[in-house]
Amino acid sequence: MTVLAKDSVAQPADVPAVPTFSDATRLWAKIGLLSFGGPAGQIALMHKELVEERRWIGEERFLHALNYCMLLPGPEAQQLAVYIGWLLHRTAGGLVAGTLFVLPGALVMLALSSFYMLYNDAPVIEALFFGIKAAVLAVVVEAVIRIGKRALKNRVMVAIAVAAFLAIYVLKLPFPLIVLAAGLIGWVGNRFAPRLFSGSAHGKGNAAADRGGVVDLMFERGELGHTVPTKWHAARTIAIWLPIWLGPVALIAVLAGPGSVWAQIGGFFSLMAVVTFGGAYAVLAYVAQAAVTSFGWLSPGEMVDGLGLAETTPGPLILVLQFVGFAAAYRHAGTPSPLLAGSLGAALTLWATFAPCFFWIFLGAPYIEQLRQNKALSAALGAITAAVVGVVMNLALWFALHVVFGKVESVGWGVEVPVVSSLDWRAALLSAAAMVAMLRLKAGMLPTLAASALAGLALQAL
């Protein structure tokens, strides 16, 4: 029998040792290189590596962190990496985790964006992207189904999703308003009908895994003092991170002039980092509308091409914004060479997109850790996740209209419908085949994208 000293905490024999900073750095680099498949695939990879295999964090704490990240504007998968890195090794751990999660994919995306802008007009490249667009539509539809299965556990959640879809598609309500309304519904609903709202989004955690996680045992031993917010935590974090985030953006706007494309890129993507809730697919709907319609940086087809490029790279799907920033600067910067301007535009976009992610986590994570057992907060997060389903449905419809049909027209209230005579049977055929491959045959995303690209090449040859 093992005798424990007073106030000590028993640790099961099979629980791994606390990971060193080097151990964590190597793992975050591995995750950054292998994180294909969009937000769901990346979260699944982190769950496998961190919860199932290494047991660095328990199931319930992992889901609690994910819930908070889904509430934030911006890419939830990268924010989750920052959160867990911060739990393990404080601010330095969060910085390393978040940076390595993005860096490999950002370098690949820069190379692909340059290649696209230089050779997009070549018939072979055009044919390949014709096929990729069709597969991207299947990817987005699969995302709607996947998120819906997790979030829509009852009729109330289905109603929230439908209302969110109508709010954004018909009424053109802004994302923040939809998210706040859904959160309020969940918060209030938990008081009057807790069975309909509690645990609706993510299910129940694994208590055994939660007790056995390294981070959880560190909490029990009192070794994670940085997770307890101090009196001046919020003020200090804001004073440090707001200048880090907005300082470079403001400086570039002053040097280049308020009407320059640099000011537009920095201002737009900084605003996007504040108002776009609901994860990568929700962000894309907002960015696609603004980049195509408001700024005229690229066409609807090029926006879909950019998403196809992002789907083929590791890292957050939101790296498609890097493509948008590259295209905007490449075409509108003026004096610098187009490739240099595009690269600078991509870098500015990355900064404005991802610097706020560190700010949100470092600011809010200590408070969220104190609210792990708050049922009202969990209900609000569940309702928000249901609303995200409706937002992603809107994105799927937007892609379908612009991939399968050559023309769309407005019929009032900003609602767009396709011109039936503009149906592209080749795009429709490829999209249907990609959906069968992913949804019925359970083919992976990358094989489906590759097969669709080759099929697009064959169909264009006809």
Side-chain angles (χ1 to χ4, degrees):
M1 177 182 296
T2 302
V3 179
L4 298 175
K6 185 178 180 180
D7 296 329
S8 65
V9 177
Q11 176 168 315
D14 61 341
V15 173
V18 176
T20 66
F21 192 84
S22 297
D23 293 335
T25 299
R26 285 191 291 271
L27 178 60
W28 293 120
K30 174 184 177 182
I31 290 174
L33 289 168
L34 299 178
S35 57
F36 293 90
Q42 292 148 8
I43 292 168
L45 175 62
M46 282 191 282
H47 186 276
K48 177 183 177 183
E49 294 285 348
L50 296 165
V51 179
E52 297 176 9
E53 295 189 358
R54 287 169 175 78
R55 295 177 62 191
W56 286 0
I57 185 171
E59 178 85 11
E60 290 183 7
R61 196 174 297 276
F62 181 90
L63 291 178
H64 181 76
L66 176 59
N67 284 346
Y68 172 57
C69 295
M70 292 188 70
L71 179 62
L72 297 174
E76 73 271 23
Q78 191 254 359
Q79 290 164 343
L80 180 61
V82 176
Y83 195 119
I84 297 175
W86 168 81
L87 280 175
L88 288 167
H89 296 107
R90 300 176 178 263
T91 301
L95 287 171
V96 168
T99 301
L100 291 179
F101 192 85
V102 172
L103 186 59
L107 294 175
V108 174
M109 194 65 182
L110 178 61
L112 292 175
S113 299
S114 302
F115 182 84
Y116 180 89
M117 288 298 167
L118 289 173
Y119 303 108
N120 180 39
D121 293 335
V124 172
I125 302 301
E126 183 180 354
L128 289 173
F129 276 97
F130 176 79
I132 289 175
K133 290 176 187 178
V136 166
L137 175 57
V139 170
V140 178
V141 171
E142 193 266 343
V144 173
I145 296 173
R146 182 180 61 243
I147 300 172
K149 287 181 178 179
R150 183 181 66 188
L152 308 183
K153 299 298 185 181
N154 54 54
R155 292 181 179 179
V156 172
M157 296 297 123
V158 172
I160 291 175
V162 172
F165 171 79
L166 295 176
I168 192 171
Y169 181 66
V170 178
L171 302 180
K172 306 299 181 185
L173 295 181
F175 293 108
L177 182 60
I178 295 172
V179 170
L180 290 175
L184 181 61
I185 291 172
W187 187 281
V188 174
N190 180 70
R191 297 191 60 174
F192 296 97
R195 292 181 60 186
L196 296 176
F197 290 88
S198 298
S200 57
H202 302 290
K204 296 180 180 180
N206 185 323
D210 194 51
R211 287 195 300 270
V214 171
V215 167
D216 306 280
L217 291 174
M218 292 173 72
F219 266 100
E220 293 180 20
R221 295 193 296 264
E223 297 173 358
L224 297 179
H226 65 284
T227 64
V228 180
T230 62
K231 179 179 179 181
W232 298 105
H233 169 77
R236 183 174 64 251
T237 304
I238 292 172
I240 294 172
W241 277 95
L242 271 186
I244 290 176
W245 165 20
L246 296 176
V249 175
L251 179 62
I252 290 173
V254 170
L255 294 177
S260 67
V261 69
W262 309 106
Q264 289 179 342
I265 292 172
F268 171 69
F269 287 110
S270 293
L271 176 64
M272 182 275 307
V274 176
V275 303
T276 47
F277 296 83
Y281 288 105
V283 171
L284 287 177
Y286 177 85
V287 173
Q289 182 180 19
V292 173
T293 304
S294 301
F295 293 107
W297 288 338
L298 67 177
S299 69
E302 289 174 331
M303 187 69 202
V304 181
D305 288 342
L307 181 57
L309 292 178
E311 293 280 11
T312 63
T313 64
L317 181 62
I318 204 66
L319 284 174
V320 65
L321 304 189
Q322 180 185 352
F323 173 81
V324 175
F326 186 100
Y330 183 93
R331 289 168 173 163
H332 303 286
T335 304
S337 70
L339 281 180
L340 175 60
S343 300
L344 294 175
L348 178 57
T349 302
L350 285 172
W351 185 266
T353 299
F354 291 105
C357 296
F358 296 98
F359 171 60
W360 302 133
I361 297 301
F362 295 149
L363 175 65
Y367 301 104
I368 293 299
E369 281 299 313
Q370 308 305 308
L371 295 173
R372 287 190 63 224
Q373 305 304 321
N374 190 301
K375 295 181 179 180
L377 178 62
S378 297
L381 291 169
I384 288 172
T385 306
V388 166
V389 177
V391 173
V392 180
M393 286 171 58
N394 172 72
L395 179 66
L397 180 59
W398 189 89
F399 277 139
L401 291 176
H402 290 90
V403 169
V404 179
F405 296 91
K407 295 180 181 179
V408 297
E409 59 183 7
S410 178
V411 294
W413 289 79
V415 175
E416 293 182 334
V417 296
V419 176
V420 178
S421 60
S422 68
L423 173 70
D424 187 332
W425 68 267
R426 298 169 303 171
L429 178 63
L430 284 178
S431 295
M435 289 183 193
V436 171
M438 294 191 68
L439 302 178
R440 183 70 176 177
L441 303 180
K442 306 301 180 183
M445 183 188 65
L446 291 179
T448 303
L449 286 170
S452 294
L454 294 176
L457 189 62
L459 285 175
Q460 289 287 64
L462 297 177

